[in-house]
Amino acid sequence: MVKINGEELPVAGKSIREYLTTTNYDVTRIAIEKNGEIVPKKDYDTTILQDGDALEVVSFVGGG
């Protein structure tokens, strides 16, 4: 199980990109932190989620 934004999900073994394809996140408007480290967008395909990982997905919201 991987904790994503506080929710345990069965996505261990998937890449971050694979996980994101199951969501409504706009990849161009998010940042991801894995176990306290920011993951560069270029690494979404090669970063494999493992049991016990913690992800925070942060969406950028425009406004003024």
Side-chain angles (χ1 to χ4, degrees):
M1 297 296 272
V2 177
K3 187 177 278 192
I4 301 177
N5 291 349
E7 180 180 354
E8 295 275 345
L9 297 174
V11 294
K14 294 185 178 185
S15 70
I16 290 176
R17 177 86 56 208
E18 288 173 313
Y19 162 69
L20 290 173
T21 63
T22 68
T23 70
N24 290 324
Y25 289 116
D26 179 350
V27 177
T28 62
R29 299 186 58 83
I30 62 171
I32 295 182
E33 181 183 278
K34 177 181 174 247
N35 301 330
E37 302 275 329
I38 297 293
V39 180
K41 288 188 187 332
K42 67 179 180 63
D43 294 339
Y44 286 5
D45 289 319
T46 58
T47 301
I48 305 300
L49 301 171
Q50 299 178 10
D51 278 328
D53 281 344
L55 252 58
E56 290 294 325
V57 181
V58 179
S59 297
F60 299 108
V61 179

